[in-house]
Amino acid sequence: MSLLLVTGTAVVVSTSAQAATTLGASAAERGGRFFGTAVAAGKLNDSAYTTILNREFNQVTPENEMKIDATEPNQNQFSYGNADRIVQHARSRGMQVRGHTLAWHSQQPGWMQAMSGTALRNAMLNHVTQVATHFRGQVTWWDVVNEAFADGSSGARRDSNLQRTGNDWIEAAFRAARTADPNAKLCYNDYNIDNWTDAKTQAVYRMVQDFKNRGVPIDCVGLQSHFTGGSNYPSNYRTTLSSFAALGVDVQITELDIRNAPSDAYRNVTNDCLAVARCTGITVWGIRDSDSWRSGENPLLFNGGGGKKAAYDAVLAALNSGAPNPTTPPPTTTPTTPPPGGGSCTASVTPGTVWGDRYNSSVTVSGASNWSVVVAITAPQRVSTTWSGSFSWDSSGSVMTVRSNGSGNTFGFTTMMNGNTGARPRITSCTSVQSISSPR
Ligand code: XIL
């Protein structure tokens, strides 16, 4: 009798050990994502603060300590003490660091504010080089350029002393950062680029697209996502994330805080990131409401006493119910959900010959003899030649549907890179069909 009770208890314990209990651990189980926070060096000796930091988060962004006024207070005199303290705290605990930020119109030291023209351009590039070199190997992502676009309907660049050095200042900063730290992921970061239809979002999208087309080094886009009454969580947020990602960059939510911390909005943001394979993590802009730059709005996940708020529970539950590692199937293979009236099959891409301007791919289908496979091509890449299937395209020319034509279970195609050398075709579905519908 007592033996049975002991056995029963053991089973209960092993079952309850399944759901992650912290934000960072749960995010890590969802495709290796991170869940991070902004950190202020001045709070690292507040044990209530560090207890939450060390328990919950696996990524850190220095809130002010890597900004230009902090790291180069006088021209060519660099000061890294507070930033180094945060980096050391984070890295010694296995947390990744986002560097914020190398070039920005705001929080410039007085000497830089007073500069213009070639002297300013050179000072900016020197700053990027020096700071990125100092932190080389310690920073996973750099916000190379922050907030360079104007709000409102213009879609224009923000006017600033840096912008007045010439429109190419942003790409110049990215190139300097790549040279200084070739392994860091280089990001463009901004606010009010959450709503897909906003002119500012579209303008940043076009810049990233242009950078990818011309080979300007850019790896990621950060959406600050400071949501207030005037700038709410938009229902098309997921579209924004996936649209940037489709350009061949990672996306991150980099400074999340939401006025009054409504659970629904926090849950939606989390679910939207989990739904986009290249949304690699979320950073909240502070730990407790009392740590927030907008402390009057109580926008964070912990209250001033360090207690978990309802929004915390909503985020953790959303993370825990997300698809486990990996979030989406590896890009080469897609097992699919059977549509009504049809069955599923599996399609795998095998990379073929690569030339300077184009490459071949072949796709092998298993699990069906009559099938329909949908393949997404990243524009401006375009399919130029096809074989061993029956091919059709949507109006954008980027979504190709291939049906079996009786020549076997493998088809192939050539894709022109058109300047984008990195992107590769993705299978979006494989459907087993009852019979091949006769043409016309
Ligand atoms: C804020 C900090 O939180 C404040 O402590 C500081 O006084 C001003 O800057 N966008 C950004 C962040 O990229 O660097 C800003 O951080 C918030 C808005």
Side-chain angles (χ1 to χ4, degrees), residues 53-382:
L53 169 62
N54 299 348
R55 184 187 71 217
E56 295 288 343
F57 298 99
N58 60 355
Q59 182 272 336
V60 151
T61 305
E63 186 172 0
N64 289 296
E65 293 77 354
M66 287 188 184
K67 292 174 180 174
I68 314 173
D69 57 355
T71 49
E72 195 178 356
N74 300 298
Q75 189 169 14
N76 260 313
Q77 201 183 84
F78 292 86
S79 147
Y80 296 117
N82 283 331
D84 284 343
R85 284 184 60 210
I86 296 177
V87 170
Q88 154 69 20
H89 184 100
R91 286 175 51 79
S92 64
R93 290 167 177 79
M95 305 168 181
Q96 290 185 281
V97 177
R98 184 184 197 90
H100 175 79
T101 172
L102 293 171
W104 191 22
H105 70 277
S106 183
Q107 291 183 265
Q108 290 182 0
W111 64 265
M112 187 179 271
Q113 291 177 36
M115 288 181 100
S116 63
T118 308
L120 173 60
R121 172 67 69 92
N122 289 337
M124 179 275 284
L125 293 175
N126 180 57
H127 181 85
V128 170
T129 300
Q130 297 294 327
V131 178
T133 300
H134 176 82
F135 291 106
R136 178 160 51 200
Q138 308 187 66
V139 160
T140 308
W141 310 266
W142 265 114
D143 288 333
V144 178
V145 171
N146 196 32
E147 301 182 347
F149 279 79
D151 293 314
S153 59
S154 71
R157 294 284 183 84
R158 171 194 298 277
D159 179 53
S160 72
N161 59 348
L162 290 168
Q163 179 62 29
R164 290 191 291 272
T165 69
N167 210 49
D168 62 345
W169 73 277
I170 299 181
E171 59 196 83
F174 274 85
R175 291 187 203 279
R178 179 68 99 222
T179 302
D181 186 353
N183 294 321
K185 300 232 184 244
L186 306 182
C187 310
Y188 176 79
N189 192 55
D190 213 331
Y191 66 92
N192 278 354
I193 57 168
D194 313 292
N195 188 320
W196 176 239
T197 63
D198 280 358
K200 186 171 172 180
T201 311
Q202 292 293 310
V204 171
Y205 176 85
R206 284 193 300 273
M207 179 189 72
V208 175
Q209 185 175 46
D210 171 56
F211 280 13
K212 294 299 277 185
N213 287 344
R214 291 190 295 115
V216 177
I218 184 167
D219 307 303
C220 32
V221 173
L223 286 76
Q224 293 183 10
S225 302
H226 293 292
F227 293 126
T228 66
S231 167
N232 281 317
Y233 164 83
S235 58
N236 59 20
Y237 192 65
R238 190 178 298 191
T239 301
T240 307
L241 296 174
S242 62
S243 299
F244 276 113
L247 291 174
V249 289
D250 289 339
V251 292
Q252 290 101 23
I253 296 157
T254 54
E255 305 184 12
L256 181 64
D257 53 12
I258 314 182
R259 177 180 292 176
N260 298 324
S263 295
D264 280 355
Y266 264 108
R267 180 185 306 114
N268 288 338
V269 168
T270 305
N271 284 332
D272 289 344
C273 183
L274 290 173
V276 176
R278 291 197 79 154
C279 181
T280 61
I282 300 175
T283 307
V284 287
W285 205 240
I287 298 178
R288 302 162 300 193
D289 285 334
S290 50
D291 302 317
S292 172
W293 70 314
R294 304 194 291 142
S295 56
E297 300 178 24
N298 298 317
L300 297 175
L301 301 179
F302 295 87
N303 63 34
K308 296 171 180 173
K309 295 164 63 178
Y312 171 96
D313 296 331
V315 169
L316 182 61
L319 289 171
N320 277 337
S321 52
N325 216 356
T327 305
T328 54
T332 50
T333 305
T334 304
T336 58
T337 327
S344 69
C345 46
T346 302
S348 306
V349 182
T350 305
T353 308
V354 182
W355 295 272
D357 61 340
R358 66 195 195 283
Y359 59 90
N360 281 350
S361 309
S362 61
V363 175
T364 303
V365 179
S366 58
S369 51
N370 292 329
W371 37 261
S372 172
V373 173
V374 179
V375 183
I377 311 292
T378 303
Q381 293 193 352
R382 225 165 172 90

